[in-house]
Amino acid sequence: MSTLQTLLALVVLIYVQCMIVQIVQEFFKGRNKSKEKTWKATLDDFMGHHLNTDQVRTALQQRGLDITALEHFDKDDFRHLLDAIPGLEQQAQGILANAQATAEQLKDNIAAAFDAARAKFQTSYTKHNKTWVLIFSAAVVVILNANLIFLYQELAADQAMSQAIAATADRLAQSSSIPATQQGAGNSSTGNVCPKTLTSETSKDDFERSRKCINALVQEYPILVRWTKSDDKSTAWIWPQIYKDGSDSHRGWFETIAGLLVMWLLVSLGAPFWNDVLKGASGINAAFNNGKKRS
């Protein structure tokens, strides 16, 4: 039972770090307009010199949409969008081998190629996101100094803390399915503070909501913050538990580096993966507790 509680608590802490990574990533994407830039690069490559990306952007703005809305377009939607672009026939003649093609045929051919452009966008954007997940995961793990080995040792040694953290598993897993519009940024409960994703247009409010969410997560799970007080009583970041007497120092450094690296790899798997693990582990824990009560 104690081992199960310890592992469940550890999964909770890994998932909390994934949530922090996701918040940081969404904020970065909003500030950097990553999706918009990727779509622009894709359309520039897709259209070449024959079509103008700005014309597509203008046609979308007439519908109250931005360029990122193309992610949800199919070829028929894009075909209708082309009707709102004036002078398209003259610009696009060079795309087709048959220069005598009608304006409608030109638009049909361009729309048919849109699926390939959207697939290219998805591939490029996914690769871009995975790269940043790895970077942000490493940053979060190092800044929090969240060493997997030492976290497990502390949880195993303090079962009261393990049970308290494990008890939040159900709420934490359920909070990920709550739409951001139903979550209050000012509530002190982690499940109500953190939006599932941030808006693409990051504003001061988004930044404040992100900051509050991260603060709430760290305050609720202080074991993640591996800081200490230095001799001058100021807060300082340190490497954890390198043996002070110098004995077996190689083992201490190995556990420190290995624990951080393994935690980085686990966190980089992402919040969706650990959300599924958390739900499964919570179900096993509930079934075990119910069986124990019946007996």
Side-chain angles (χ1 to χ4, degrees), residues 46 74-76 78-79 82 105-118:
F46 163 56
D74 57 24
K75 64 180 181 180
D76 293 328
F78 193 73
R79 172 64 179 80
L82 294 176
Q105 288 174 328
L106 285 169
K107 292 177 181 180
D108 288 342
N109 278 273
I110 295 172
F114 176 72
D115 282 342
R118 188 177 59 178

Side-chain angles (χ1 to χ4, degrees), residues 150-221:
F150 297 137
L151 282 175
Y152 179 82
Q153 289 174 348
E154 289 187 30
L155 291 170
D158 190 342
Q159 283 301 301
M161 179 171 59
S162 291
Q163 291 177 12
I165 294 175
T168 66
D170 286 334
R171 173 174 59 79
L172 201 60
Q174 291 171 2
S175 70
S176 65
S177 62
I178 300 175
T181 54
Q182 297 179 16
Q183 299 178 10
N187 195 311
S188 61
S189 170
T190 303
N192 292 329
V193 171
C194 301
K196 188 175 181 182
T197 56
L198 299 179
T199 58
S200 59
E201 294 295 329
T202 305
S203 64
K204 264 188 174 181
D205 291 339
D206 296 317
F207 176 81
E208 186 65 16
R209 184 165 64 250
S210 302
R211 185 187 65 78
K212 286 182 178 180
C213 181
I214 292 175
N215 284 344
L217 290 171
V218 170
Q219 288 172 11
E220 187 164 356
Y221 304 94

Side-chain angles (χ1 to χ4, degrees), residues 254-276:
F254 172 78
E255 289 182 348
T256 296
I257 296 173
L260 290 173
L261 283 176
V262 175
M263 181 64 86
W264 169 51
L265 293 175
L266 293 177
V267 172
S268 67
L269 292 175
F273 172 84
W274 286 106
N275 184 49
D276 291 340

Side-chain angles (χ1 to χ4, degrees), residues 106-156:
L106 285 169
K107 292 177 181 180
D108 288 342
N109 278 273
I110 295 172
F114 176 72
D115 282 342
R118 188 177 59 178
K120 181 178 179 181
F121 160 79
Q122 292 290 357
T123 300
S124 177
Y125 191 61
T126 299
K127 182 179 179 181
H128 178 84
N129 283 340
K130 286 181 178 179
T131 299
W132 283 111
V133 165
L134 289 172
I135 294 172
F136 291 136
S137 296
V140 167
V141 168
V142 170
I143 291 172
L144 294 179
N145 212 353
N147 187 306
L148 180 72
I149 296 174
F150 297 137
L151 282 175
Y152 179 82
Q153 289 174 348
E154 289 187 30
L155 291 170

